[in-house]
Amino acid sequence: MKILILGSGGREYSIARAIKNEQEEHELFFQPGNGATNNLGTNLNIKDYDELAQFAIDNKIELTIVGPEAPLVDGVVDIFKEKGLTIFGPSKEAAQLEGSKVYMKNFLAKYNIPTARYIETASIEDAFKFTMTLTAPIVVKADGLCGGKGVIIAQNHDEAKIAISEMLSGKSFGDAGLKVIVEEFLDGYELSMFAVCDGDDYILLPAAQDHKRLLNNDEGPNTGGMGAYAPTPLVDEELYQKVRDRVIAPTLDGMKKENAPFEGVLFIGIMVVNGEPITLEFNVRFGDPECEILMPLMTSSVSDMFLKASTNRLSEIKVEFSKQFAVGVVMASGNYPYSSSTPAEIILDDVKHAEIEENTHISFAGVSMQDGVLYADGGRVLVCVGVGDTIKEARNRAYLRCGQVHFVGKKIRTDIAYQAL
Ligand code: AMP
Ligand code: GLY
């Protein structure tokens, strides 16, 4: 197939890599891609979605896969579908499950999907009043997309009030903060669950855990994610079934009732509290770096899964996963997540050991290529992925691979998957 992938991160690289590893040959295009995706296909520079759709028509692209949330919330799927193109991802309407936290929370409440007790409001008085019904810590969230920074965990009521005032005044997040959610803090362990959906049916992928904080022991500032592993032993069959029955099934039914059937990846951020899965949030795309560790675990065709999901035919296929584990360790640049860093040359040692060669790989993210030299020029630069028969083996391999990657300022966490070991 000729396949177009939207996005530029490690997530998109890992999808492309999995598709390239299939037996059938595929030709890949990226908008915009990164300095390493042009080894897997052709990078484009077409920012306008109508022009991009025209490119897809002219070049007989058979499937488009959207990686990040921004184009989904902007409605790229609607634009492509109007022109008769096949594209994997939710409509603009359905993407509100991520684009607006108010929409998401009200949806959860309407369809009785367990979530943290909350208020949704644009009124500073109502928000303050609600905080008084909660015990600290208190969670304050901006309504709109804030690049992963829109959630404040306030340690006391005063901090919560400051966060609310700064959001509602537009000071902290502009228009994205003009409505807020204030909610109770849930104490438990966090999971990332992914359901690939076609509007009616879905495939639930192995549960993963991300590591959002910059430093070991979950300390330091929040990031996009510093590493992930799957499947996590923290989820047993009973918990999977609860997520199916209490979250995914009512969400797909509910979205049909809202006239916005959900196609694409439903990413469920879950907090498990006393054995019960409580929905923290939805995203409408794969997690990054979760995608980088789920793709290598898929043994059936990745491109076919996306194609069938985009054409309401998921019920026709069986998606299969290996019995192994995958661990991904993010390598970030020196100033991440505070500010950008000076581009640094990346040196990759040759992998001489067959075991490491066969069971590890790199998913490239914030990299550029100049005169044949690869530079680290983004926040999260790449992900070293290890696969193994146990989490420990997968993790050891991932860290061995990390040792073979060098650039000035490189930063990693050394405790990825600690909750499973
Ligand atoms: P979100 O952008 O909604 O995923 O929130 C970012 C992170 O904040 C989540 O991954 C959780 O770690 C944390 N978080 C969000 N809501 C809550 C909550 N109600 N209780 C505890 N932690 C939360
Ligand atoms: N790794 C979490 C996210 O992609 O939002």
Side-chain angles (χ1 to χ4, degrees), residues 332-333 341-346 366-368 374-379 381-382 407-408:
S333 55
S341 310
T342 313
E345 182 177 346
I346 300 176
V367 298
S368 62
L374 199 60
Y375 288 89
D377 80 348
V381 176
L382 52 84
F407 57 87
V408 172

Side-chain angles (χ1 to χ4, degrees), residues 37-271:
T37 52
N38 46 14
N39 292 327
L40 303 173
T42 308
N43 286 353
L44 307 174
N45 181 15
I46 308 173
K47 294 196 180 75
D48 181 83
Y49 298 137
D50 286 299
E51 276 178 45
L52 194 62
Q54 194 55 50
F55 171 89
I57 293 168
D58 295 344
N59 290 277
K60 305 200 164 44
I61 300 287
E62 294 157 86
L63 171 66
T64 298
I65 300 167
V66 188
E69 62 277 17
L72 295 168
V73 172
D74 288 346
V76 71
V77 168
D78 309 65
I79 293 171
F80 271 53
K81 282 194 172 167
E82 265 167 35
K83 298 192 196 300
L85 291 159
T86 300
I87 181 165
F88 177 74
S91 64
K92 182 174 182 159
E93 176 79 18
Q96 285 192 82
L97 282 180
E98 175 164 2
S100 165
K101 286 196 174 3
V102 168
Y103 179 96
M104 180 258 299
K105 289 292 282 193
N106 290 342
F107 177 88
L108 293 173
K110 182 169 173 186
Y111 293 98
N112 293 316
I113 299 168
T115 188
R117 196 162 67 83
Y118 73 103
I119 186 177
E120 158 251 309
T121 183
S123 149
I124 199 159
E125 291 79 23
D126 290 351
F128 281 8
K129 218 191 285 168
F130 187 74
T131 60
M132 299 320 289
T133 71
L134 301 172
T135 45
I138 293 164
V139 185
V140 182
K141 303 183 174 183
D143 176 35
L145 291 182
C146 301
K149 299 192 176 74
V151 175
I152 307 288
I153 314 275
Q155 293 309 318
N156 53 53
H157 288 79
D158 287 342
E159 261 182 56
K161 287 181 174 174
I162 292 170
I164 291 165
S165 314
E166 292 192 343
M167 282 185 198
L168 288 179
S169 67
K171 192 171 154 197
S172 42
F173 301 111
D175 286 353
L178 296 182
K179 263 193 173 181
V180 295
I181 302 281
V182 181
E183 69 181 27
E184 66 178 331
F185 179 82
L186 299 175
D187 198 5
Y189 60 89
E190 219 174 321
L191 300 172
S192 301
M193 300 268 249
F194 300 90
V196 173
C197 308
D198 72 359
D200 295 308
D201 294 302
Y202 66 91
I203 312 275
L204 183 57
L205 307 191
Q209 262 200 318
D210 186 14
H211 299 67
K212 291 206 159 117
R213 303 293 203 93
L214 180 70
L215 305 172
N216 283 359
N217 305 316
D218 296 324
E219 287 171 3
N222 257 322
T223 69
M226 292 300 290
Y229 72 96
T232 167
L234 300 174
V235 181
D236 57 11
E237 206 33 61
E238 194 186 339
L239 193 59
Y240 277 116
Q241 200 54 43
K242 284 181 183 169
V243 172
R244 288 174 182 279
D245 296 343
R246 296 184 197 167
V247 188
I248 305 174
T251 298
L252 291 186
D253 281 350
M255 290 304 278
K256 278 198 269 188
K257 293 195 179 112
E258 299 294 316
N259 284 320
F262 191 87
E263 298 175 25
V265 180
L266 184 69
F267 169 174
I268 312 156
I270 289 174
M271 191 72 87

Side-chain angles (χ1 to χ4, degrees), residues 11 210 212 224-225 267 283 285-290 380:
R11 169 178 50 207
D210 186 14
K212 291 206 159 117
F267 169 174
N283 296 308
R285 36 105 194 151
F286 271 115
D288 189 343
E290 291 96 324
R380 290 187 295 169

